[in-house]
Amino acid sequence: MYDSLPTESMIRKLWVGEAALYCDHLLRLDPDSRRNRFGGAVSEDYVRAYVERSFPRAVIHGFFIEGVLRGAAELQPLSSPHDAEAGISIEKPWQSHGVGSELLARTLLSARNRSIKFLRMACLADNRRMQDLARKFNAELSFDFGGVVGEVTPARATALSMMREMLADSHGLTTAMLDVQSRLLRPA
């Protein structure tokens, strides 16, 4: 289910100390992409407060190009322990290149391994990209008041699915640590 991404890119989880990377990414979104991500126009202050609320509650996977976060998928728990919502944001130059599919696949794996039984993806009625992405993962779409809600039921966790996430997390953590170290060692 994973598409091939550019060789200089990687997808990994964001760690608690990386909230600023997520905030910077969301603030770089062009107006249409930010509107699509949040379901309407939002201010920079709203974005900053949103990121502050999201960490460490949400599981966020990031798409990095040369160490810069350019896309993200968020698994945000809802009020019921078995319900969650997914949100995806991708900066314009990397849209329509399979990044959303990769990010949503990782988010579904995380949802599966956390016993999420109901995953919602809400988007605006004119956000065809998100609707197509939701359909790719067999979401049932329902149209309501100018918006669309996609519902996905993740598969049950297995030892293999848990191992896949654990291996991806180990690789991501190692890469994040090496990336920080290489930035510290670069000449100013």
Side-chain angles (χ1 to χ4, degrees):
M1 173 105 2
Y2 296 110
D3 297 327
S4 63
L5 296 173
T7 54
E8 69 278 5
S9 70
M10 76 165 304
I11 292 180
R12 66 169 177 80
K13 277 186 190 161
L14 296 183
W15 307 104
V16 175
E18 296 180 310
L21 296 178
Y22 189 43
C23 188
D24 291 346
H25 156 68
L26 292 173
L27 291 173
R28 276 194 305 271
L29 293 173
D30 65 277
D32 284 339
S33 298
R34 190 186 299 180
R35 178 182 161 271
N36 283 336
R37 170 59 185 89
F38 291 102
V42 297
S43 70
E44 289 186 2
D45 288 339
Y46 177 90
V47 171
R48 286 183 188 93
Y50 177 83
V51 170
E52 203 171 293
R53 286 189 312 269
S54 294
F55 278 86
R57 219 170 93 92
V59 176
I60 303 172
H61 287 90
F63 167 71
F64 290 83
I65 293 277
E66 297 176 354
V68 179
L69 182 65
R70 298 298 185 176
E74 190 176 323
L75 178 64
Q76 189 72 249
L78 296 175
S79 55
S80 165
H82 298 291
D83 294 348
E85 185 171 33
I88 297 177
S89 56
I90 302 167
E91 294 174 27
K92 198 135 198 113
W94 292 277
Q95 293 176 5
S96 298
H97 294 289
V99 175
S101 295
E102 293 283 340
L103 288 169
L104 186 53
R106 299 284 181 101
T107 300
L108 285 169
L109 179 63
S110 291
R112 175 183 189 175
N113 291 338
R114 284 157 184 76
S115 301
I116 301 295
K117 296 186 183 351
F118 178 73
L119 183 64
R120 300 182 77 209
M121 295 177 280
C123 69
L124 297 171
D126 64 351
N127 189 348
R128 294 280 181 232
R129 255 192 203 117
M130 187 63 181
Q131 293 168 36
D132 291 344
L133 181 59
R135 280 188 191 98
K136 184 176 180 177
F137 288 87
N138 301 316
E140 291 183 32
L141 300 181
S142 58
F143 294 79
D144 188 23
F145 301 111
V148 179
V149 175
E151 300 173 353
V152 177
T153 304
R156 295 178 77 137
T158 63
L160 184 58
S161 70
M162 300 291 269
M163 183 63 73
R164 283 179 52 211
E165 185 173 7
M166 194 180 333
L167 287 172
D169 288 352
S170 297
H171 179 261
L173 181 59
T174 302
T175 303
M177 290 181 345
L178 291 173
D179 186 49
V180 167
Q181 185 178 25
S182 70
R183 276 187 269 148
L184 292 172
L185 295 175
R186 278 188 204 140

